[in-house]
Amino acid sequence: MDGMSGPHVIRGSVSLPEAELVWRFSRSSGPGGQHVNTTDTAVELRFDLAKTQALPEVWKQRALERLAGRLTDGVVTVRACEHRSQWRNRETAAVRLASLLAEATAPPPRPRRPTRIPRGINERRLREKKQRSETKRGRSPKNWS
């Protein structure tokens, strides 16, 4: 692929191997006049996640679990047809795939440690609630004379 802007890094030193990317081109809908009817500008990028050796095994398993609803036989597909040039659509598809894989291979967030509500805050809340109740009770007609 000459002309592409280098390897698309997923995270750290891991990047998408060019040999494992499968590109498909088709005619794109949208603006472009006669140009759109003659050139294949829409891009479909396929990456076989199940068979790749580029990702560490832990990352691969994590990505397979998180992208399960998006995979077809272990292959993830990304489509780009926003731009009028095929080259820009190729760039968009590759960046989109790299960010999708980066998000899918990210480590899970640390579990949240529940915190206790300080006693002072709870007491203040109850005190303000009581004051509000007294204010409203003072407005009732039975106290009017």
Side-chain angles (χ1 to χ4, degrees):
M1 299 241 350
D2 28 295
M4 291 294 285
S5 64
H8 294 282
V9 178
I10 295 174
R11 194 170 55 253
S13 62
V14 180
S15 60
L16 289 172
E18 206 59 55
E20 293 185 19
L21 300 178
V22 179
W23 299 90
R24 220 177 90 203
F25 309 102
S26 60
R27 296 210 172 118
S28 179
S29 62
Q34 293 174 344
H35 170 75
V36 83
N37 299 327
T38 58
T39 54
D40 293 335
T41 54
V43 173
E44 188 179 273
L45 176 58
R46 297 167 59 88
F47 179 68
D48 196 339
L49 188 58
K51 294 180 184 169
T52 187
Q53 298 299 314
L55 298 176
E57 199 57 38
V58 178
W59 287 19
K60 190 159 84 169
Q61 291 306 317
R62 198 179 292 154
L64 285 169
E65 287 172 18
R66 291 183 182 170
L67 298 175
R70 217 189 145 131
L71 298 176
T72 309
D73 299 328
V75 177
V76 64
T77 305
V78 175
R79 187 168 163 75
C81 59
E82 295 85 39
H83 306 292
R84 287 176 61 178
S85 82
Q86 186 188 93
W87 184 81
R88 285 179 68 193
N89 280 332
R90 286 171 98 154
E91 284 291 305
T92 303
V95 167
R96 202 174 284 165
L97 179 63
S99 66
L100 180 72
L101 289 175
E103 194 176 307
T105 59
R110 287 177 45 201
R112 181 188 171 278
R113 242 184 51 209
T115 55
R116 281 187 55 235
I117 298 174
R119 189 172 10 148
I121 290 178
N122 216 12
E123 287 173 356
R124 185 177 355 135
R125 180 183 63 85
L126 293 174
R127 192 170 48 248
E128 288 171 359
K129 201 170 173 180
K130 197 168 217 157
Q131 281 178 336
R132 187 81 180 136
S133 165
E134 290 298 321
T135 304
K136 289 189 172 192
R137 189 178 302 132
R139 294 179 188 152
S140 68
K142 69 179 178 202
N143 292 341
W144 294 359
S145 12

